[in-house]
Amino acid sequence: MANIAVNRPGSTVLLMGNEAVARGALEAGVGVAAAYPGSPTSEVIPALAEVAAEMNIYVEWSSNEKVATEVAAGASFAGIRSLGVMKQNGANVAADFIVNLNMTGIGSAGMVIFISDDPGGGTSNNEQDSRTIAKWIDNPLMEPSSAQEAKEMIKWAFEVSEAVNLLTFVRGVGRISYTRSNVVLGELPGKAKPRPFFPEIWDMNNPGKSKFTSGPFPVFHKPLHEKLEKAREIFESSSFNQYMGPEKPDLLIITCGASTSYCIEGVDELKMNERVGILKLGTTWPLPEKLVARHLSSTRKVLFVEEMDPFVERSVMELAAGLLPATANLTFFGARSGHLTPYNELSTDIVINALADILGITYQPRDSAYEDLAEEGAKLVPNRPINMCPGCPHRATYWALKNAIQLDGRNGFLCGDIGCYSMGFAGPGFFQSRTMHAMGSGTGVASGLGKLGRFGFDQPVLAMCGDSTFYHAVMPALVNGVYNNSNFTLLIVDNSATAMTGFQPHPGTGQLATGEPAAIVDMEAVCRAMGASVEICDPFDLKKTTETLLRKMQEDGGPKVVIMRHMCQLVKAKRKIPPAYKIHVDGSKCLADNCGCNRLCTRLFACPGLMVDNETGKAAIDEALCVGCGLCSDICPVHAIVKEEANR
Amino acid sequence: MRPNKLKKDPYNVIISGVGGQGNVLLSGFIGAALLNEGFVVSVADTFGVSQRGGSVSSHIKISQRTLYSSVTLKGKADVLIGMEPVETLRTLVEFGNRNTITIVNPRPVYPTGGVAYPDLNEVKRTIEKMSSQTKYVNATEEALKMGNPIYSNVILLGAIVGADILPLNKESFMPLLEERFPGKMLDVNLRAFNKGMELIAGA
């Protein structure tokens, strides 16, 4: 990860969008930054945490996004510029606070939230478009089109936030957050921050600057809309809104964010620069209506290019309706016309196809003979299913769970949750996870299912959550289960890390975002204090784990917690913990297709470190991938996979 | 190719492989070296859950003029670095063209869950048909000989530099290698880098 506190204004460095966001916050003189890890934004806080001491800023991993936003708001109330960071799902968690913060306004110092959405869902289980939140709660919204612009926009967002006294959103997408590109650095301010002071006397003439209580709402709701109109005025002349193209284009593209470069490149590729103009909006809510109206009057055809919801498309069409009859001759293309889709990530190719269709031209990047070759090649290429890593403790947990459920024989099932272990809905978890929604929902859903006994429901109910997820959103659901005496078993898969998003520390790890030691919130003690029974297993002890789960499923009473404690294999590798075993296959014992196990190790257990030897047809170990956890040796029915103590 | 010369602008490089093989390490080195040589680069890595054993790739767009979008257009790859044969072919199917230069680590990574791997020789033949030049670098095998499969990344990096397909030379990478591999780690990584240069010279 790049050091973002390099003090060389004007020099160019390679930064990921998330690092550029962090740098922008530093250049703006941010004093406090808080977040819960969530890809595609997970790198912002680590980048800031690494330079926290040298830049004199406070950076924290918060227990969830709502708390992170509250922490940031506290700083703003006391006069310190603050940044909150979250993925799209996090915005929902924070929304309950934000819909009240818009009423009171922020403090004297600016407050910015960077949200990154995930078109294509590479790191998410939904494709939510968070821009709607800005519209819903009437707060300003900007969308950067590159890492450089992300840095500049974050800086400017603090100024806008202070000018209108509202929390301001900068919304990226995964492609902006994760693309690394040239970024020219700006000036860093000095380390000194204003002395924080919470205003103690309410000034009637300046309620938003001195009192932060969100009632009575009539006092605040009207000013909120006035603030938003002020933001619109500021946005009308923003240099983040740019037009590229002829004065009177045959086709006007209106675009924003990551899609901007797809449009520029697509128009270039088709050599349509003389016919097509691109209006790139950096400020997308409130819509700079005068600017857009001017451009609408210059053309007869408009194509909207934006990812996911037709957010700008709807705002502009609403504006166009208000401008009738001047806009009566306009034809609109976009998600509504079916030229683009309100789902999936866009690309330059998708934009080119839409342009080619509207402009009536053909585009073929390769000759047909090569396309035929490609078609033949495609037939050879198999799918490559995602999997848990070699040595992953979740594989052990799911194996024990699957066996326990089968031994119990009453159709028990697991309510899943969000983390690496989400893969349990598919092959890597032997299809055991049967529900998956928001952080903590597995336990909440289980708490409901566990109360259905009075209607004759007799299937054992289990829930799973990771260690970080436990602190984020599972605790209230577990309280609910204890309070209402709901019968379910909660497996906390404690691998000592927020593994899916990059091994960030959490309240159970004893480490702060900055790496300094922290108090450990003991999950076992927390669960016991809530009134749940607690047992601890090492999932690599398959026998004990299976027996424990079987026994728990058959117990009556309220929630039972089983903590599955084993360190994430990737964390072990980072800490250079050597392999426990050296693994090999005893060729004289492996019976391959004649065994009757139906390739238990490679087909079902399916650790990436196992393979079939093409020559002998027997199981084999891929020495480039095997980490020597030894679990496959325990599942082979004929003991053909041999583990020997490794020389440590 | 010598530093500061691009065969075309933008020049599209793709590194493809399997999650966990280290495409992000390679793309990071190449991106940083290009930036140091004064190019405008955009490096897009597959992010998210595919990093857990799925198909992954890094797209590097290089220009002397302007910042382009990060993802390569269909059929526009100029250079393809394949860390795994099937993944190399998967990428050619979407991004290859008659002029694509391909460097492949021929060691398969088998898909899990009972998914069959196609005939390796047929995969290689198809890769060759779909590329203007195909060079094989046994990076994993050499890395295992050196004691750890992790060195295959730096071996491949050496091969890329030795192949003279990027406007970069060994000197472009020295400061980056020294920074990334401090102390004792530098020596073995330099050996890996030189091994890659040696392998490509004989490929």
Side-chain angles (χ1 to χ4, degrees):
Chain A
M1 180 165 280
N3 181 323
I4 55 155
V6 177
N7 199 5
R8 286 198 309 267
S11 65
T12 305
V13 294
L14 190 70
L15 290 187
M16 183 190 279
N18 283 339
E19 293 165 338
V21 164
R23 171 72 187 199
L26 285 186
E27 291 182 9
V30 76
V32 169
Y36 179 83
S39 298
T41 61
S42 306
E43 292 74 15
V44 179
I45 287 292
L48 287 167
E50 197 180 299
V51 301
E54 68 177 288
M55 291 302 295
N56 184 30
I57 56 174
Y58 173 68
V59 185
E60 75 167 39
W61 283 127
S62 310
S63 49
N64 67 37
E65 294 87 350
K66 176 168 174 279
V67 176
T69 310
E70 289 155 351
V71 165
S76 168
F77 294 160
I80 299 286
R81 282 188 170 185
S82 62
L83 176 74
V85 182
M86 57 201 63
K87 72 178 298 178
Q88 76 273 16
N89 310 58
N92 308 335
V93 178
D96 200 18
F97 174 67
I98 294 172
V99 293
N100 294 298
L101 183 64
N102 69 350
M103 287 283 141
T104 70
I106 57 166
S108 59
M111 178 173 169
V112 175
I113 286 189
F114 175 66
I115 304 179
S116 210
D117 285 355
D118 194 6
T123 68
S124 310
N125 60 335
N126 73 28
E127 240 190 347
Q128 167 184 313
D129 192 329
S130 302
R131 296 180 294 177
T132 308
I133 290 177
K135 188 171 177 178
W136 166 41
I137 67 169
D138 305 307
N139 278 30
L141 170 74
M142 313 172 184
E143 298 185 56
S145 63
S146 67
Q148 180 80 56
E149 200 173 63
K151 178 177 87 68
E152 309 306 337
M153 229 174 225
I154 288 279
K155 247 162 90 177
W156 190 58
F158 279 100
E159 292 172 29
V160 171
S161 168
E162 284 165 13
V164 301
N165 189 240
L166 283 177
L167 164 66
T168 297
F169 293 103
V170 177
R171 181 262 197 178
V173 292
R175 195 57 71 187
I176 296 289
S177 280
Y178 282 128
T179 296
R180 287 172 285 176
S181 57
N182 297 42
V183 173
V184 181
L185 300 180
E187 300 261 353
L188 286 178
K191 283 186 181 186
K193 301 285 182 296
R195 185 188 165 87
F197 181 73
F198 189 89
E200 55 186 347
I201 298 166
W202 186 31
D203 174 1
M204 269 297 278
N205 297 319
N206 203 0
K209 291 278 168 75
S210 59
K211 186 169 185 277
F212 308 103
T213 53
S214 61
F217 61 85
V219 176
F220 296 111
H221 202 176
K222 182 166 171 270
L224 172 61
H225 285 268
E226 289 163 0
K227 290 171 177 183
L228 202 65
E229 283 311 306
K230 193 172 167 191
R232 193 193 304 277
E233 274 311 307
I234 295 171
F235 286 177
E236 289 286 358
S237 58
S238 165
S239 60
F240 291 116
N241 302 321
Q242 293 154 358
Y243 177 73
M244 296 151 269
E247 206 174 311
K248 300 242 173 242
D250 292 349
L251 175 71
L252 174 70
I253 297 177
I254 300 182
T255 187
C256 57
S259 307
T260 306
S261 58
Y262 308 147
C263 296
I264 295 173
E265 206 166 39
V267 171
D268 272 353
E269 183 69 21
L270 293 175
K271 300 189 172 52
M272 285 287 134
N273 309 63
E274 303 288 309
R275 290 180 61 193
V276 180
I278 301 170
L279 176 62
K280 171 252 181 196
L281 294 178
T283 66
T284 47
W285 186 259
L287 189 74
E289 292 186 346
K290 288 178 208 154
L291 172 82
V292 174
R294 274 201 305 281
H295 285 282
L296 289 181
S297 69
S298 72
T299 189
R300 302 284 287 274
K301 288 180 185 164
V302 179
L303 168 65
F304 298 100
V305 181
E306 61 188 320
E307 290 178 307
M308 303 200 292
D309 289 353
F311 180 82
V312 171
E313 180 170 344
R314 284 187 187 135
S315 300
V316 172
M317 290 185 71
E318 195 181 298
L319 171 69
L323 294 172
L324 282 169
T327 49
N329 290 327
L330 284 173
T331 309
F332 294 101
F333 304 93
R336 283 175 64 96
S337 70
H339 285 84
L340 296 167
T341 59
Y343 44 82
N344 273 342
E345 190 180 18
L346 288 184
S347 66
T348 304
D349 287 309
I350 292 172
V351 174
I352 285 175
N353 289 334
L355 283 171
D357 187 66
I358 294 165
L359 298 169
I361 50 181
T362 53
Y363 176 75
Q364 199 187 354
R366 305 191 285 208
D367 62 68
S368 53
Y370 195 92
E371 287 295 347
D372 292 344
L373 272 178
E375 206 170 300
E376 287 305 304
K379 287 181 195 156
L380 274 176
V381 178
N383 284 333
R384 191 178 287 279
I386 55 167
N387 204 335
M388 292 163 188
C389 306
C392 176
H394 299 330
R395 184 176 290 106
T397 296
Y398 275 115
W399 189 267
L401 175 71
K402 178 179 165 60
N403 283 321
I405 286 174
Q406 287 198 333
L407 287 167
D408 175 82
R410 291 177 295 159
N411 298 315
F413 62 95
L414 181 77
C415 301
D417 221 295
I418 306 298
C420 287
Y421 52 93
S422 296
M423 281 186 259
F425 78 89
F430 320 117
F431 304 95
Q432 293 304 296
S433 181
R434 305 285 292 283
T435 73
M436 178 172 69
H437 302 87
M439 295 273 288
S441 292
T443 307
V445 169
S447 180
L449 283 157
K451 290 305 294 180
L452 299 182
R454 70 169 65 203
F455 306 116
F457 182 75
D458 60 359
Q459 294 170 256
V461 179
L462 300 108
M464 185 181 281
C465 72
D467 38 350
S468 189
T469 307
F470 174 76
Y471 299 106
H472 178 286
V474 171
M475 284 167 57
L478 184 57
V479 168
N480 188 70
V482 173
Y483 172 51
N484 293 300
N485 196 37
S486 176
N487 183 0
F488 64 95
T489 304
L490 170 62
L491 286 68
I492 306 179
V493 286
D494 177 10
N495 59 358
S496 312
T498 319
M500 188 89 238
T501 50
F503 322 107
Q504 295 82 1
H506 61 64
T509 59
Q511 199 187 35
L512 295 173
T514 47
E516 290 153 293
I520 293 177
V521 181
D522 179 346
M523 68 169 69
E524 184 187 342
V526 168
C527 294
R528 286 193 206 284
M530 285 177 180
S533 70
V534 182
E535 290 195 38
I536 297 175
C537 288
D538 178 349
F540 277 70
D541 185 343
L542 286 174
K543 187 163 177 289
K544 185 192 162 201
T545 306
T546 309
E547 285 169 1
T548 304
L549 289 175
L550 184 58
R551 180 163 41 80
K552 288 288 157 189
M553 274 190 272
Q554 295 176 347
E555 270 176 26
D556 291 328
K560 294 139 288 190
V561 172
V562 184
I563 298 175
M564 300 289 180
R565 186 162 284 157
H566 196 102
M567 189 185 288
C568 169
Q569 176 57 37
L570 296 178
V571 175
K572 280 191 198 173
K574 276 175 186 288
R575 296 188 189 168
K576 304 206 186 312
I577 297 174
Y581 301 103
K582 180 107 184 78
I583 314 291
H584 71 272
V585 174
D586 182 342
S588 68
K589 287 188 180 163
C590 176
L591 302 173
D593 286 332
N594 299 322
C595 176
C597 76
N598 196 8
R599 302 270 181 198
L600 190 74
C601 64
T602 48
R603 190 186 56 81
L604 188 64
F605 184 70
C607 173
L610 291 162
M611 59 185 190
V612 176
D613 186 307
N614 277 346
E615 279 163 32
T616 64
K618 296 179 190 243
I621 305 298
D622 187 338
E623 58 180 319
L625 293 174
C626 177
V627 296
C629 75
L631 200 63
C632 54
S633 166
D634 299 335
I635 62 112
C636 174
V638 295
H639 308 291
I641 306 177
V642 182
K643 62 180 182 189
E644 290 166 10
E645 296 280 336
N647 295 326
R648 297 227 177 182
Chain B
M1 233 193 284
R2 295 273 64 88
N4 303 319
K5 287 270 168 11
L6 273 185
K7 284 178 183 165
K8 63 184 262 293
D9 198 332
Y11 195 63
N12 298 310
V13 179
I14 303 180
I15 303 167
S16 60
V18 178
Q21 278 193 302
N23 61 305
V24 175
L25 180 94
L26 269 186
S27 68
F29 269 126
I30 294 171
L34 287 163
L35 181 126
N36 290 343
E37 298 285 352
F39 292 97
V40 185
V41 289
S42 169
V43 183
D45 307 302
T46 302
F47 54 88
V49 78
S50 296
Q51 289 170 301
R52 302 284 183 265
S55 305
V56 293
S57 59
S58 297
H59 291 220
I60 308 174
K61 264 193 203 171
I62 315 166
S63 172
Q64 275 164 308
R65 298 174 291 161
T66 185
L67 179 67
Y68 283 87
S69 81
S70 44
V71 178
T72 310
L73 272 67
K74 189 183 175 191
K76 298 281 183 184
D78 296 302
V79 169
L80 170 58
I81 313 299
M83 304 179 84
E84 200 281 342
V86 152
E87 296 312 318
T88 309
L89 182 54
R90 193 192 305 280
T91 305
L92 279 171
V93 164
E94 190 169 359
F95 299 104
N97 62 66
R98 295 194 182 282
N99 298 315
T100 305
I101 299 170
T102 305
I103 295 179
V104 196
N105 175 14
R107 168 75 138 72
V109 175
Y110 297 102
T112 54
V115 175
Y117 198 89
D119 179 68
L120 183 59
N121 287 323
E122 199 181 345
V123 170
K124 284 162 124 179
R125 275 198 304 275
T126 314
I127 290 171
E128 288 159 22
K129 271 193 272 182
M130 293 183 71
S131 311
S132 66
Q133 287 178 47
T134 307
K135 290 187 174 175
Y136 295 100
V137 176
N138 284 304
T140 310
E141 299 304 326
E142 291 294 333
L144 285 170
K145 279 188 217 163
M146 292 177 70
N148 195 330
I150 204 157
Y151 302 129
S152 58
N153 292 313
V154 180
I155 293 173
L156 270 177
L157 190 64
I160 294 164
V161 173
D164 205 23
I165 45 178
L166 290 177
L168 297 169
N169 53 32
K170 189 175 172 185
E171 287 66 44
S172 314
F173 287 98
M174 285 310 292
L176 298 169
L177 290 168
E178 282 165 12
E179 189 191 333
R180 171 81 192 209
F181 304 113
K184 280 195 302 190
M185 278 151 60
L186 183 63
D187 180 57
V188 64
N189 280 288
L190 278 181
R191 274 196 288 134
F193 190 96
N194 290 335
K195 188 62 174 179
M197 292 192 78
E198 187 188 312
L199 289 172
I200 199 80

